Short mmCIF file of all heavy atoms in Angstrom, two decimals:
data_model
loop_
_atom_site.label_atom_id
_atom_site.label_comp_id
_atom_site.label_asym_id
_atom_site.label_seq_id
_atom_site.Cartn_x
_atom_site.Cartn_y
_atom_site.Cartn_z
N LYS A 1030 99.00 117.92 108.28
CA LYS A 1030 100.02 118.69 108.99
C LYS A 1030 99.61 120.16 109.09
O LYS A 1030 99.78 120.79 110.14
CB LYS A 1030 101.36 118.55 108.24
CG LYS A 1030 102.55 119.22 108.92
CD LYS A 1030 102.93 118.48 110.17
CE LYS A 1030 104.17 119.09 110.84
NZ LYS A 1030 105.42 118.89 110.07
N ASP A 1031 99.05 120.68 108.03
CA ASP A 1031 98.57 122.08 108.07
C ASP A 1031 97.46 122.27 109.09
O ASP A 1031 97.28 123.36 109.63
CB ASP A 1031 98.06 122.50 106.69
CG ASP A 1031 99.19 122.65 105.66
OD1 ASP A 1031 100.37 122.77 106.09
OD2 ASP A 1031 98.90 122.66 104.46
N ASP A 1032 96.69 121.22 109.33
CA ASP A 1032 95.59 121.28 110.30
C ASP A 1032 96.09 121.24 111.75
O ASP A 1032 95.29 121.40 112.68
CB ASP A 1032 94.60 120.13 110.08
CG ASP A 1032 93.79 120.30 108.82
OD1 ASP A 1032 93.61 121.46 108.36
OD2 ASP A 1032 93.31 119.27 108.27
N GLY A 1033 97.37 120.98 111.94
CA GLY A 1033 97.92 120.89 113.29
C GLY A 1033 98.15 119.50 113.78
O GLY A 1033 98.56 119.29 114.92
N ILE A 1034 97.89 118.50 112.95
CA ILE A 1034 98.09 117.10 113.32
C ILE A 1034 99.56 116.76 113.08
O ILE A 1034 100.08 116.95 111.99
CB ILE A 1034 97.18 116.20 112.47
CG1 ILE A 1034 95.71 116.44 112.82
CG2 ILE A 1034 97.54 114.72 112.66
CD1 ILE A 1034 94.73 115.78 111.89
N ASN A 1035 100.22 116.24 114.11
CA ASN A 1035 101.64 115.89 113.94
C ASN A 1035 101.89 114.41 114.19
O ASN A 1035 103.03 113.97 114.32
CB ASN A 1035 102.53 116.74 114.83
CG ASN A 1035 102.45 116.35 116.31
OD1 ASN A 1035 101.52 115.65 116.73
ND2 ASN A 1035 103.42 116.80 117.11
N ALA A 1036 100.80 113.63 114.25
CA ALA A 1036 100.93 112.19 114.50
C ALA A 1036 99.82 111.46 113.77
O ALA A 1036 98.65 111.85 113.88
CB ALA A 1036 100.87 111.90 116.00
N VAL A 1037 100.17 110.41 113.04
CA VAL A 1037 99.17 109.62 112.33
C VAL A 1037 99.37 108.14 112.62
O VAL A 1037 100.51 107.68 112.78
CB VAL A 1037 99.20 109.87 110.80
CG1 VAL A 1037 98.76 111.27 110.46
CG2 VAL A 1037 100.58 109.56 110.23
N ARG A 1038 98.28 107.44 112.71
CA ARG A 1038 98.31 105.98 112.85
C ARG A 1038 97.87 105.41 111.49
O ARG A 1038 96.82 105.76 110.97
CB ARG A 1038 97.36 105.54 113.95
CG ARG A 1038 97.35 104.02 114.24
CD ARG A 1038 96.56 103.79 115.52
NE ARG A 1038 96.39 102.39 115.89
CZ ARG A 1038 95.27 101.69 115.69
NH1 ARG A 1038 94.21 102.29 115.11
NH2 ARG A 1038 95.17 100.45 116.07
N ILE A 1039 98.74 104.54 110.96
CA ILE A 1039 98.47 103.94 109.66
C ILE A 1039 98.27 102.45 109.88
O ILE A 1039 99.23 101.66 109.86
CB ILE A 1039 99.63 104.21 108.67
CG1 ILE A 1039 99.85 105.73 108.51
CG2 ILE A 1039 99.36 103.56 107.33
CD1 ILE A 1039 101.02 106.09 107.62
N PRO A 1040 97.03 102.01 110.12
CA PRO A 1040 96.77 100.59 110.33
C PRO A 1040 97.09 99.80 109.06
O PRO A 1040 96.77 100.24 107.96
CB PRO A 1040 95.27 100.54 110.65
CG PRO A 1040 94.88 101.95 110.99
CD PRO A 1040 95.80 102.81 110.19
N VAL A 1041 97.69 98.63 109.24
CA VAL A 1041 98.07 97.79 108.10
C VAL A 1041 97.64 96.34 108.35
O VAL A 1041 97.89 95.79 109.43
CB VAL A 1041 99.60 97.81 107.85
CG1 VAL A 1041 99.93 97.02 106.57
CG2 VAL A 1041 100.13 99.23 107.76
N THR A 1042 96.96 95.76 107.38
CA THR A 1042 96.59 94.35 107.42
C THR A 1042 97.46 93.60 106.42
O THR A 1042 97.59 94.02 105.27
CB THR A 1042 95.10 94.15 107.12
OG1 THR A 1042 94.33 94.88 108.08
CG2 THR A 1042 94.71 92.68 107.17
N TRP A 1043 98.02 92.49 106.86
CA TRP A 1043 99.02 91.78 106.07
C TRP A 1043 98.50 90.46 105.50
O TRP A 1043 99.12 89.86 104.62
CB TRP A 1043 100.25 91.51 106.93
CG TRP A 1043 100.79 92.73 107.57
CD1 TRP A 1043 100.45 93.24 108.80
CD2 TRP A 1043 101.74 93.66 107.00
NE1 TRP A 1043 101.14 94.41 109.03
CE2 TRP A 1043 101.95 94.70 107.95
CE3 TRP A 1043 102.45 93.69 105.78
CZ2 TRP A 1043 102.81 95.76 107.73
CZ3 TRP A 1043 103.31 94.76 105.57
CH2 TRP A 1043 103.49 95.77 106.51
N ARG A 1044 97.37 89.97 105.95
CA ARG A 1044 96.95 88.60 105.71
C ARG A 1044 96.71 88.25 104.24
O ARG A 1044 96.87 87.10 103.85
CB ARG A 1044 95.70 88.28 106.53
CG ARG A 1044 94.44 89.00 106.12
CD ARG A 1044 93.40 88.96 107.23
NE ARG A 1044 92.03 88.98 106.71
CZ ARG A 1044 90.96 89.12 107.49
NH1 ARG A 1044 91.10 89.24 108.80
NH2 ARG A 1044 89.75 89.12 106.94
N ASP A 1045 96.33 89.23 103.39
CA ASP A 1045 96.11 88.95 101.98
C ASP A 1045 97.37 89.16 101.15
O ASP A 1045 97.31 89.10 99.92
CB ASP A 1045 95.01 89.86 101.44
CG ASP A 1045 93.63 89.51 101.97
OD1 ASP A 1045 93.30 88.30 101.97
OD2 ASP A 1045 92.92 90.42 102.42
N HIS A 1046 98.51 89.36 101.80
CA HIS A 1046 99.75 89.70 101.09
C HIS A 1046 100.91 88.80 101.51
O HIS A 1046 102.08 89.21 101.46
CB HIS A 1046 100.09 91.17 101.34
CG HIS A 1046 98.96 92.11 101.07
ND1 HIS A 1046 98.58 92.49 99.81
CD2 HIS A 1046 98.07 92.68 101.94
CE1 HIS A 1046 97.53 93.29 99.88
NE2 HIS A 1046 97.19 93.42 101.16
N LEU A 1047 100.59 87.58 101.94
CA LEU A 1047 101.59 86.63 102.40
C LEU A 1047 101.62 85.40 101.50
O LEU A 1047 100.55 84.91 101.08
CB LEU A 1047 101.29 86.19 103.83
CG LEU A 1047 101.18 87.28 104.90
CD1 LEU A 1047 100.68 86.67 106.22
CD2 LEU A 1047 102.52 87.98 105.10
N ASP A 1048 102.81 84.87 101.23
CA ASP A 1048 102.87 83.61 100.52
C ASP A 1048 102.88 82.47 101.53
O ASP A 1048 102.75 82.70 102.75
CB ASP A 1048 104.10 83.54 99.58
CG ASP A 1048 105.44 83.56 100.31
OD1 ASP A 1048 105.47 83.34 101.56
OD2 ASP A 1048 106.48 83.79 99.66
N LYS A 1049 103.04 81.26 101.07
CA LYS A 1049 102.93 80.09 101.95
C LYS A 1049 104.04 80.07 103.01
O LYS A 1049 103.92 79.39 104.03
CB LYS A 1049 102.97 78.80 101.13
CG LYS A 1049 104.24 78.58 100.33
CD LYS A 1049 104.17 77.29 99.53
CE LYS A 1049 105.42 77.07 98.69
NZ LYS A 1049 106.64 76.96 99.51
N ASP A 1050 105.13 80.81 102.77
CA ASP A 1050 106.22 80.87 103.72
C ASP A 1050 106.18 82.15 104.56
O ASP A 1050 107.16 82.50 105.22
CB ASP A 1050 107.56 80.79 102.99
CG ASP A 1050 107.74 79.46 102.27
OD1 ASP A 1050 107.39 78.42 102.87
OD2 ASP A 1050 108.18 79.46 101.10
N ASN A 1051 105.04 82.83 104.51
CA ASN A 1051 104.83 84.07 105.27
C ASN A 1051 105.70 85.23 104.82
O ASN A 1051 105.98 86.15 105.61
CB ASN A 1051 105.02 83.82 106.77
CG ASN A 1051 104.03 82.82 107.32
OD1 ASN A 1051 102.85 82.88 107.04
ND2 ASN A 1051 104.52 81.87 108.12
N ASN A 1052 106.13 85.18 103.57
CA ASN A 1052 106.85 86.33 103.00
C ASN A 1052 105.83 87.37 102.54
O ASN A 1052 104.85 87.04 101.88
CB ASN A 1052 107.71 85.89 101.82
CG ASN A 1052 108.80 84.92 102.23
OD1 ASN A 1052 109.56 85.19 103.15
ND2 ASN A 1052 108.86 83.79 101.55
N ILE A 1053 106.08 88.63 102.88
CA ILE A 1053 105.18 89.71 102.49
C ILE A 1053 105.44 90.08 101.03
O ILE A 1053 106.59 90.24 100.61
CB ILE A 1053 105.38 90.95 103.38
CG1 ILE A 1053 105.12 90.61 104.85
CG2 ILE A 1053 104.49 92.11 102.93
CD1 ILE A 1053 105.55 91.68 105.82
N ASP A 1054 104.35 90.20 100.27
CA ASP A 1054 104.47 90.62 98.87
C ASP A 1054 105.23 91.92 98.76
O ASP A 1054 104.94 92.89 99.48
CB ASP A 1054 103.06 90.78 98.28
CG ASP A 1054 103.08 91.28 96.85
OD1 ASP A 1054 103.38 90.48 95.96
OD2 ASP A 1054 102.81 92.49 96.64
N SER A 1055 106.21 91.96 97.88
CA SER A 1055 107.09 93.14 97.78
C SER A 1055 106.34 94.40 97.39
O SER A 1055 106.64 95.50 97.87
CB SER A 1055 108.25 92.88 96.81
OG SER A 1055 107.75 92.58 95.51
N ASP A 1056 105.34 94.27 96.50
CA ASP A 1056 104.57 95.44 96.09
C ASP A 1056 103.80 96.04 97.26
O ASP A 1056 103.70 97.26 97.40
CB ASP A 1056 103.59 95.09 94.96
CG ASP A 1056 104.30 94.81 93.64
OD1 ASP A 1056 105.47 95.24 93.50
OD2 ASP A 1056 103.68 94.19 92.76
N TRP A 1057 103.26 95.16 98.12
CA TRP A 1057 102.52 95.65 99.27
C TRP A 1057 103.46 96.33 100.27
O TRP A 1057 103.17 97.42 100.77
CB TRP A 1057 101.77 94.50 99.94
CG TRP A 1057 100.90 94.93 101.09
CD1 TRP A 1057 101.08 94.65 102.41
CD2 TRP A 1057 99.71 95.74 101.00
NE1 TRP A 1057 100.08 95.22 103.16
CE2 TRP A 1057 99.22 95.90 102.32
CE3 TRP A 1057 99.02 96.33 99.95
CZ2 TRP A 1057 98.08 96.63 102.61
CZ3 TRP A 1057 97.88 97.07 100.25
CH2 TRP A 1057 97.42 97.21 101.56
N MET A 1058 104.58 95.71 100.56
CA MET A 1058 105.53 96.32 101.47
C MET A 1058 106.02 97.67 100.94
O MET A 1058 106.16 98.64 101.70
CB MET A 1058 106.71 95.38 101.73
CG MET A 1058 107.75 95.94 102.71
SD MET A 1058 107.14 96.08 104.40
CE MET A 1058 107.63 94.48 105.07
N ASP A 1059 106.28 97.74 99.64
CA ASP A 1059 106.71 98.99 99.05
C ASP A 1059 105.65 100.08 99.22
O ASP A 1059 105.96 101.23 99.50
CB ASP A 1059 107.02 98.80 97.55
CG ASP A 1059 108.28 98.01 97.31
OD1 ASP A 1059 109.06 97.81 98.26
OD2 ASP A 1059 108.46 97.56 96.16
N ARG A 1060 104.39 99.69 99.03
CA ARG A 1060 103.31 100.67 99.15
C ARG A 1060 103.15 101.13 100.60
O ARG A 1060 102.94 102.32 100.86
CB ARG A 1060 102.00 100.09 98.61
CG ARG A 1060 100.81 101.04 98.71
CD ARG A 1060 101.07 102.38 98.04
NE ARG A 1060 99.89 103.26 98.15
CZ ARG A 1060 99.93 104.58 98.00
NH1 ARG A 1060 101.08 105.18 97.70
NH2 ARG A 1060 98.83 105.30 98.11
N VAL A 1061 103.24 100.20 101.53
CA VAL A 1061 103.17 100.59 102.94
C VAL A 1061 104.29 101.60 103.25
O VAL A 1061 104.05 102.64 103.88
CB VAL A 1061 103.31 99.36 103.86
CG1 VAL A 1061 103.47 99.78 105.32
CG2 VAL A 1061 102.07 98.46 103.72
N GLN A 1062 105.49 101.32 102.79
CA GLN A 1062 106.60 102.24 103.03
C GLN A 1062 106.36 103.60 102.38
O GLN A 1062 106.66 104.65 102.96
CB GLN A 1062 107.90 101.65 102.54
CG GLN A 1062 109.11 102.54 102.85
CD GLN A 1062 110.44 101.89 102.49
OE1 GLN A 1062 110.48 100.92 101.75
NE2 GLN A 1062 111.52 102.43 103.05
N GLU A 1063 105.80 103.58 101.17
CA GLU A 1063 105.53 104.83 100.47
C GLU A 1063 104.56 105.71 101.28
O GLU A 1063 104.77 106.93 101.43
CB GLU A 1063 104.95 104.54 99.09
CG GLU A 1063 104.72 105.77 98.23
CD GLU A 1063 104.28 105.42 96.82
OE1 GLU A 1063 103.58 104.39 96.64
OE2 GLU A 1063 104.61 106.18 95.88
N VAL A 1064 103.51 105.10 101.80
CA VAL A 1064 102.52 105.87 102.57
C VAL A 1064 103.13 106.34 103.89
O VAL A 1064 102.90 107.47 104.33
CB VAL A 1064 101.25 105.04 102.80
CG1 VAL A 1064 100.26 105.81 103.67
CG2 VAL A 1064 100.58 104.71 101.45
N VAL A 1065 103.88 105.47 104.54
CA VAL A 1065 104.58 105.90 105.76
C VAL A 1065 105.45 107.11 105.48
O VAL A 1065 105.47 108.09 106.24
CB VAL A 1065 105.43 104.74 106.33
CG1 VAL A 1065 106.42 105.26 107.38
CG2 VAL A 1065 104.56 103.65 106.93
N ASP A 1066 106.16 107.09 104.36
CA ASP A 1066 107.06 108.18 104.01
C ASP A 1066 106.32 109.49 103.76
O ASP A 1066 106.88 110.58 103.98
CB ASP A 1066 107.90 107.81 102.79
CG ASP A 1066 108.99 106.82 103.11
OD1 ASP A 1066 109.24 106.59 104.31
OD2 ASP A 1066 109.58 106.24 102.16
N TYR A 1067 105.08 109.42 103.28
CA TYR A 1067 104.30 110.63 103.09
C TYR A 1067 104.26 111.44 104.40
O TYR A 1067 104.38 112.66 104.41
CB TYR A 1067 102.87 110.32 102.69
CG TYR A 1067 102.69 109.74 101.31
CD1 TYR A 1067 101.54 108.98 101.02
CD2 TYR A 1067 103.60 109.96 100.28
CE1 TYR A 1067 101.34 108.45 99.75
CE2 TYR A 1067 103.41 109.43 99.01
CZ TYR A 1067 102.26 108.67 98.76
OH TYR A 1067 102.07 108.14 97.51
N ALA A 1068 104.02 110.75 105.50
CA ALA A 1068 103.91 111.42 106.80
C ALA A 1068 105.28 111.62 107.44
O ALA A 1068 105.58 112.69 107.97
CB ALA A 1068 103.01 110.60 107.72
N TYR A 1069 106.12 110.60 107.39
CA TYR A 1069 107.44 110.64 108.04
C TYR A 1069 108.27 111.78 107.48
O TYR A 1069 109.01 112.46 108.22
CB TYR A 1069 108.12 109.29 107.84
CG TYR A 1069 109.45 109.15 108.53
CD1 TYR A 1069 109.51 108.73 109.86
CD2 TYR A 1069 110.64 109.37 107.86
CE1 TYR A 1069 110.74 108.58 110.50
CE2 TYR A 1069 111.88 109.22 108.48
CZ TYR A 1069 111.90 108.82 109.80
OH TYR A 1069 113.12 108.68 110.42
N SER A 1070 108.19 112.02 106.17
CA SER A 1070 108.97 113.09 105.54
C SER A 1070 108.53 114.47 105.99
O SER A 1070 109.26 115.45 105.79
CB SER A 1070 108.86 112.98 104.01
OG SER A 1070 107.54 113.22 103.58
N LEU A 1071 107.35 114.54 106.61
CA LEU A 1071 106.86 115.81 107.14
C LEU A 1071 107.15 115.98 108.62
O LEU A 1071 106.59 116.84 109.29
CB LEU A 1071 105.34 115.89 106.91
CG LEU A 1071 104.88 115.92 105.43
CD1 LEU A 1071 103.35 115.80 105.37
CD2 LEU A 1071 105.34 117.19 104.76
N ASP A 1072 108.03 115.13 109.15
CA ASP A 1072 108.39 115.13 110.57
C ASP A 1072 107.21 114.80 111.46
O ASP A 1072 107.12 115.26 112.61
CB ASP A 1072 108.99 116.49 110.99
CG ASP A 1072 110.36 116.75 110.36
OD1 ASP A 1072 110.99 115.76 109.96
OD2 ASP A 1072 110.76 117.92 110.26
N MET A 1073 106.29 113.99 110.96
CA MET A 1073 105.16 113.55 111.77
C MET A 1073 105.52 112.24 112.46
O MET A 1073 106.32 111.46 111.95
CB MET A 1073 103.92 113.35 110.90
CG MET A 1073 103.46 114.59 110.16
SD MET A 1073 102.09 114.26 109.00
CE MET A 1073 100.70 114.36 110.14
#
C-alpha cells in the first residue's frame, strides 16, 4: 500500500484442502480469510 498499490490478486488453490464431500478444510479457509483481511483492512 505504501508503494502505491491499491489492488492485489490472491490466487488460491483448493484441491489439497477438500474432503470426500468437497468440504474445504476449516484451517485453510480461515487462513485464506486472514490473508484477504490483511489487504481488505487497508481498503485495497
Side-chain angles (χ1 to χ4, degrees):
K1030 185 70 177 290
D1031 290 342
D1032 289 335
I1034 294 170
N1035 74 343
V1037 292
R1038 182 169 177 259
I1039 301 177
V1041 185
T1042 301
W1043 307 90
R1044 68 197 209 189
D1045 291 312
H1046 309 282
L1047 303 172
D1048 65 15
K1049 61 181 179 62
D1050 297 316
N1051 298 315
N1052 296 307
I1053 300 169
D1054 177 76
S1055 59
D1056 289 341
W1057 184 248
M1058 181 68 92
D1059 289 347
R1060 179 56 180 160
V1061 171
Q1062 183 174 17
E1063 184 174 32
V1064 176
V1065 166
D1066 286 348
Y1067 291 157
Y1069 184 85
S1070 65
L1071 296 172
D1072 292 338
M1073 301 174 84

